[in-house]
């Protein structure tokens, strides 16, 4: 016996309404179904109530296997319903089929519209993605509801001969359906609230699992590696790479989908060089901006410069400062290594000239090297910005 | 040059880091006490009255910045140096604005940290490249109507000094490059610290919160 009133997916012939009622109340589903058929004979009320409930009751979230395939039961119930129908038609107790269909369409359509108008107020649909997709189905459902109502009105007009019988049937159906709605309404509302709560809870659990998986794949693996690392340099490089990765995951949500901004590209470069060359890259950058060709060239030039410092300077640390001003972007790459005399750089070493100077010149940028033998090197890379932020 | 002995309290909940720090500091820095939570730290600092408190920005029970005002009322001479490994800009700036005299990352070399402690104990300010870069960014665009230009703008010299710190230069290198004394560099940094603590421009702490890159 379940606590909430939900359409059953376990015990379902049409929409699971009877199964749901049975699970909620503990009465056998077959008896509930017979009761609905009995009400069906009473001027079609059973059908109306069933349609109303099918629309209003939320579907159970459990996806357990069905306990009843139910073909035999469906055929048996259908036969009982039809037999009763013929018997009542023969004795003239039944309302004309045209009136029944018309009022069924009217009430069913009304229920669909009412449900759609009520649901947005349940407050759980905060996510923007949800709202947009739901907005579409809302429209579709209201349209269907409207069409049903219109169809009911049309049937009623076509079957004008039943003019006298119709108001009575409509009134009876409405009264019973309203009574039912009042009876089960609060329960349905509570069930909806609980279903929504359950959804939130599940989302929270999913998020926790995601974080746990992420930490396991990254931090715990790195910690294991660090414990087994033979030398301090390897351990430090691994720790630095992990720190940077975790930091960007925690604080840098915008740039998780690959380096499409300058800051994410520079972080990736710093990590690569640290891992590849076993040095520390102290990266300072406070602003970020989407990539454009000039900034992309700047980042490539910076990578080449940082790699040069890592390979040739002998310093353990390279400081990188990224400054995004309104008119230009500047990257400073500095080390306290051995420095060099620019005049005696071998002519076969084209790294700086080709990769850095030429690359920047294509975007009207410049590179300036300040170095003294024995006192470190600083390279300034400038490019003008196409548009200010 | 012999430096005076400095008494230091460590407030940090990472036992391994604290142990490493103790081992790496030179003999003229004496660690007189340790605390792992803000709750323990406040009475400890009050009773020990150290020269400098090394304060982790993240503590298990509260933000590190909550320790500063609680101590400051009784022990105004105690100075704070904020330490962190990977905190958000918001937390770092909140700690500086609560009264810390500087901010360094935990990856700092022990010798540099010792120099920073002496500098802080002398009443000067200590900026890491990260903090200098933040100042440059936060004070870069000129607001149309600055309520207090004295506090809301950097002077040309201060801007130069911040830029060199952000690029990774030490104070002595900066002094050499700008042909000024180390003492003057320290004065500029202290003035910038005062502006950082007192300026309202852009509501700095909230502004820092929107800065996701550190």
């Amino acid at each position: 016996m379940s606590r909430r009133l939900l359409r059953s997916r376990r015990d379902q012939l049409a929409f699971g309404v009877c199964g749901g009622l049975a699970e909620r109340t503990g009465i056998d589903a077959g008896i509930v179904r017979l009761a609905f058929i009995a009400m069906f004979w009473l001027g079609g009320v059973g059908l109306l109530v069933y349609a109303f409930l099918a629309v209003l009751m939320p579907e159970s979230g459990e996806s357990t296997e069905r306990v009843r395939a139910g073909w035999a039961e469906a055929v048996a119930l259908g036969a009982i319903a039809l037999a009763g129908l013929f018997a009542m038609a023969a004795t003239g107790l039944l309302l004309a089929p045209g009136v029944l269909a018309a009022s069924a369409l009217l009430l069913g359509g009304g229920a669909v519209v009412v449900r759609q108008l009520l649901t947005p107020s349940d407050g759980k649909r905060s996510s923007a993605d949800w709202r947009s997709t739901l907005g579409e189905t809302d429209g579709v459902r209201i349209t269907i509801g409207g069409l049903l109502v219109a169809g009911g009105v049309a049937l009623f007009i076509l079957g004008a001969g039943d003019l006298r019988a119709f108001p009575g049937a409509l009134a009876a159906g409405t009264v019973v359906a309203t009574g039912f709605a009042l009876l089960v309404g609060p329960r349905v509302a509570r069930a909806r609230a609980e279903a929504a709560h359950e959804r939130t809870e599940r989302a929270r659990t999913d998020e926790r699992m995601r974080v746990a998986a992420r930490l396991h794949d990254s931090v715990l693996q790195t910690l294991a590696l660090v414990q087994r690392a033979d030398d301090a340099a390897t351990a430090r490089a691994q720790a630095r790479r992990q720190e940077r990765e975790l930091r960007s995951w925690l604080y840098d949500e915008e740039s998780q989908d690959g380096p499409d901004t300058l800051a994410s590209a520079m972080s990736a470069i710093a990590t690569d060089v640290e891992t590849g060359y076993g040095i520390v890259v102290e990266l300072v950058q406070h602003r970020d901006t989407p990539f454009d060709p000039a900034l992309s060239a700047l980042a490539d030039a910076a990578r080449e410069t940082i790699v040069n410092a890592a390979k040739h300077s002998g310093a353990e640390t390279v400081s990188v400062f990224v400054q995004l001003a309104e008119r230009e972007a500047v990257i400073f790459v500095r080390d306290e290594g051995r420095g060099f005399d620019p005049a005696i750089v071998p002519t076969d070493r084209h790294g700086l000239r080709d990769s850095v100077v030429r690359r920047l010149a294509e975007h009207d940028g410049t590179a300036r090297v300040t170095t003294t033998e024995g006192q470190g090197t600083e390279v300034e890379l400038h490019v003008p910005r196409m548009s200010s932020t | 040059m012999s430096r005076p002995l400095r008494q230091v309290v460590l407030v940090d909940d990472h036992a391994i880091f604290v142990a490493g720090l103790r081992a790496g500091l030179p003999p003229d820095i004496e660690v007189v006490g340790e605390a792992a939570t803000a709750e323990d730290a406040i009475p400890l600092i009050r009773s020990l009255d150290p020269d400098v408190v090394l304060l982790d920005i993240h503590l298990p029970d509260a933000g590190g910045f909550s320790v500063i005002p609680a101590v400051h009322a009784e022990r105004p001479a105690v100075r704070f140096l904020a330490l962190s490994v990977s905190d958000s800009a918001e937390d770092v700036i909140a700690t500086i604005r609560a009264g810390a005299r500087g901010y360094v990352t935990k990856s700092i070399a022990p010798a540099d940290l010792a120099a920073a402690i002496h500098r802080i104990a002398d009443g000067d300010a200590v900026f890491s490249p990260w903090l200098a870069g933040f100042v440059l960014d936060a004070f870069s665009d000129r607001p149309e109507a600055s309520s207090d230009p004295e506090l809301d703008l950097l002077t040309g010299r201060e801007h130069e000094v911040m830029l060199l710190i952000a690029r990774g230069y030490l104070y002595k290198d900066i002094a050499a490059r700008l042909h000024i004394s180390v003492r003057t560099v320290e004065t500029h940094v202290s003035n910038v610290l005062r502006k950082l603590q007192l300026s309202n421009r852009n509501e700095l702490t909230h502004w820092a919160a929107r800065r996701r890159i550190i």
Side-chain angles (χ1 to χ4, degrees):
Chain A
M1 195 169 116
S2 132
R3 267 182 56 245
R4 294 176 294 143
L5 188 51
L6 298 170
R7 276 190 285 129
S8 177
R9 285 173 63 182
R10 219 155 53 85
D11 189 1
Q12 177 180 27
L13 286 181
F15 289 99
V17 169
C18 294
L21 282 170
E23 280 169 22
R24 174 69 185 85
T25 56
I27 300 169
D28 185 273
I31 296 174
V32 177
R33 291 198 173 102
L34 283 174
F36 268 91
I37 285 168
M39 280 198 288
F40 175 52
W41 294 331
L42 297 175
V45 169
L47 191 64
L48 296 182
V49 171
Y50 190 94
F52 218 82
L53 288 177
V55 173
L56 281 178
M57 280 163 66
E59 189 170 54
S60 159
E62 316 164 7
S63 52
T64 43
E65 56 174 308
R66 294 183 176 194
V67 290
R68 296 189 187 194
W71 273 113
E73 192 173 341
V75 172
L77 287 171
I80 294 171
L82 274 177
L85 214 55
F86 279 119
M88 297 182 79
T91 51
L93 280 170
L94 189 72
L95 291 168
V99 175
L100 260 187
S103 48
L105 286 177
L106 272 174
L107 279 172
V112 170
V113 172
V114 165
R115 176 192 154 117
Q116 282 323 112
L117 293 180
L118 284 180
T119 33
S121 64
D122 81 5
K124 288 292 178 190
R125 297 175 180 174
S126 45
S127 157
D129 300 346
W130 268 62
R131 189 167 291 149
S132 62
T133 53
L134 273 175
E136 281 170 29
T137 51
D138 270 358
V140 170
R141 286 191 185 154
I142 289 177
T143 311
I144 291 173
L147 284 175
L148 287 176
V149 172
V153 172
L155 265 179
F156 164 66
I157 293 169
L158 286 176
D162 303 305
L163 210 57
R164 280 161 301 139
F166 181 75
L170 190 61
T174 308
V175 166
V176 175
T178 309
F180 244 88
L182 286 175
L183 274 177
V184 297
R187 281 185 188 165
V188 170
R190 200 183 60 204
R192 281 184 168 283
E194 280 178 27
H197 176 72
E198 208 169 73
R199 264 201 308 278
T200 321
E201 202 57 33
R202 202 158 38 222
R204 203 170 290 153
T205 313
D206 287 351
E207 176 69 16
R208 199 155 41 221
M209 301 282 281
R210 206 169 64 82
V211 171
R214 173 87 190 199
L215 291 180
H216 178 266
D217 290 348
S218 55
V219 179
L220 290 181
Q221 300 296 334
T222 302
L223 285 176
L225 282 175
V226 166
Q227 285 173 45
R228 268 186 280 139
D230 296 327
D231 62 313
T234 315
R236 194 171 51 206
Q238 277 160 346
R240 292 280 302 181
R241 182 188 53 74
Q242 184 59 64
E243 182 198 324
R244 212 180 284 284
E245 189 194 308
L246 188 62
R247 201 190 286 204
S248 82
W249 186 58
L250 287 174
Y251 300 119
D252 197 10
E253 296 155 0
E254 298 93 26
S255 49
Q256 270 182 22
D257 323 322
D260 48 6
T261 66
L262 182 63
S264 54
M266 290 307 296
S267 298
I269 288 169
T271 308
D272 284 356
V273 178
E274 283 187 342
T275 318
Y277 296 91
I279 56 151
V280 172
V281 177
E282 286 286 359
L283 177 63
V284 174
Q285 51 180 354
H286 286 281
R287 252 171 221 235
D288 199 1
T289 189
F291 253 167
D292 60 34
L295 291 175
S296 180
L298 179 68
D300 290 341
R303 175 193 286 273
E304 187 63 30
T305 310
I306 299 167
V307 167
N308 272 338
K311 279 204 291 206
H312 304 302
S313 76
E316 285 182 1
T317 303
V318 178
S319 300
V320 179
F321 176 47
V322 182
Q323 198 179 30
L324 276 172
E326 214 171 296
R327 303 248 180 83
E328 66 167 0
V330 191
I331 297 182
F332 300 90
V333 179
R334 185 175 165 277
D335 67 74
E336 290 187 6
R338 59 177 72 97
F340 61 92
D341 180 351
I344 57 162
V345 171
T347 44
D348 60 327
R349 287 258 297 281
H350 293 296
L352 184 70
R353 202 177 311 152
D354 287 350
S355 305
V356 178
V357 178
R358 192 171 298 169
R359 208 173 249 160
L360 291 175
E362 280 172 19
H363 299 278
D364 301 322
T366 54
R368 192 165 72 207
V369 183
T370 318
T371 180
T372 316
E373 252 178 298
Q375 285 180 33
T377 306
E378 184 171 46
V379 182
E380 286 176 41
L381 310 167
H382 296 252
V383 286
R385 294 186 69 185
M386 291 170 170
S387 54
S388 58
T389 45
Chain B
M1 189 182 87
S2 85
R3 298 187 291 194
L5 183 71
R6 308 292 190 183
Q7 296 196 317
V8 170
V9 167
L10 303 177
V11 182
D12 195 312
D13 60 315
H14 300 99
I16 295 173
F17 176 75
V18 170
L21 201 58
R22 264 178 179 276
L25 287 172
D28 57 1
I29 307 283
E30 184 195 357
V31 179
V32 293
E34 286 173 16
T37 62
E39 196 190 347
D40 295 346
I42 294 165
L44 183 77
I45 299 167
R46 281 180 183 155
S47 67
L48 291 174
D49 196 16
D51 298 307
V52 174
V53 176
L54 296 184
L55 183 64
D56 188 6
I57 282 176
H58 270 217
L59 294 172
D61 54 340
F65 61 86
S66 65
V67 174
I68 299 175
V71 170
H72 201 74
E74 260 185 59
R75 300 276 183 202
V78 175
R79 298 191 168 110
F80 291 87
L81 175 59
L83 278 174
S84 85
V85 55
S86 56
D87 294 288
S88 66
E90 184 185 17
D91 294 330
V92 176
I93 298 309
T95 308
I96 295 290
R97 281 165 78 84
R101 299 287 303 168
Y103 163 69
V104 294
T105 48
K106 283 184 175 176
S107 54
I108 189 172
D112 293 341
L113 180 60
I117 292 169
H118 283 288
R119 196 161 269 143
I120 295 266
D122 289 335
D124 293 319
V126 170
F127 278 21
S128 65
W130 184 91
L131 188 55
F134 178 87
V135 169
L136 285 174
D137 194 27
F139 287 79
S140 63
D141 42 304
R142 291 175 180 261
E144 292 77 45
S146 168
S147 55
D148 189 352
E150 176 75 9
L151 283 177
D152 290 347
L153 297 172
L154 299 181
T155 67
R157 245 334 181 214
E158 286 164 359
H159 191 272
E160 282 178 293
V161 170
M162 284 298 119
L163 188 54
L164 288 170
I165 295 177
R167 282 152 67 178
Y169 286 92
L170 299 174
Y171 286 18
K172 63 175 165 51
D173 305 325
I174 297 170
R177 275 180 76 109
L178 298 180
H179 308 293
I180 54 180
S181 69
V182 172
R183 193 64 241 164
T184 310
V185 174
E186 288 170 344
T187 307
H188 286 308
V189 177
S190 289
N191 287 340
V192 174
L193 177 76
R194 189 176 53 88
K195 292 181 181 184
L196 189 56
Q197 288 174 338
L198 298 179
S199 170
N200 284 324
R201 86 182 309 247
N202 299 331
E203 295 179 75
L204 272 172
T205 311
H206 295 292
W207 187 84
R210 297 197 302 271
R211 283 282 182 260
R212 295 267 182 183
I213 303 145
I214 59 171

